[in-house]
Amino acid sequence: MTSDEFSQLSVFVHDARKPLNRISMQAELVKMALNGDVPPEKALTALDKIISSAKDCSHTLTEMTTELGENVSE
């Protein structure tokens, strides 16, 4: 792997971590709502954010494999 490829991979990993962190935080909020610590409406909002963030992460991973796949020499 070249330095440029590693740099590009690092950007993709960073971009994938952002929605994963958001998923983790929102899941904690849902857990708090289920425990009665926050209103149930917050759980519904958090679940929408989890779904959106999972889609964002999937998009980033698809973009990564597409771009990195174009750089593979056969």
Side-chain angles (χ1 to χ4, degrees), residues 3 6 9 14 24 26 29 34 43 51 64:
S3 176
F6 181 77
L9 179 61
H14 177 265
S24 178
Q26 297 304 316
L29 186 59
L34 291 173
I51 292 165
M64 177 183 71

Side-chain angles (χ1 to χ4, degrees), residues 10-35:
S10 295
V11 169
F12 284 123
V13 169
H14 177 265
D15 289 347
R17 280 189 180 139
K18 288 188 291 185
L20 289 173
N21 288 335
R22 188 173 189 196
I23 289 168
S24 178
M25 291 184 330
Q26 297 304 316
E28 288 291 331
L29 186 59
V30 171
K31 186 176 177 181
M32 290 171 61
L34 291 173
N35 287 332

Side-chain angles (χ1 to χ4, degrees), residues 7-74:
S7 179
Q8 184 180 23
L9 179 61
S10 295
V11 169
F12 284 123
V13 169
H14 177 265
D15 289 347
R17 280 189 180 139
K18 288 188 291 185
L20 289 173
N21 288 335
R22 188 173 189 196
I23 289 168
S24 178
M25 291 184 330
Q26 297 304 316
E28 288 291 331
L29 186 59
V30 171
K31 186 176 177 181
M32 290 171 61
L34 291 173
N35 287 332
D37 298 332
V38 297
E41 298 81 28
K42 293 231 181 211
L44 291 175
T45 301
L47 289 170
D48 287 338
K49 290 179 182 177
I50 288 170
I51 292 165
S52 174
S53 294
K55 289 177 182 178
D56 289 346
C57 189
S58 179
H59 173 74
T60 298
L61 292 172
T62 299
E63 184 181 351
M64 177 183 71
T65 55
T66 299
E67 288 197 29
L68 291 177
E70 290 173 358
N71 293 333
V72 173
S73 59
E74 296 181 25

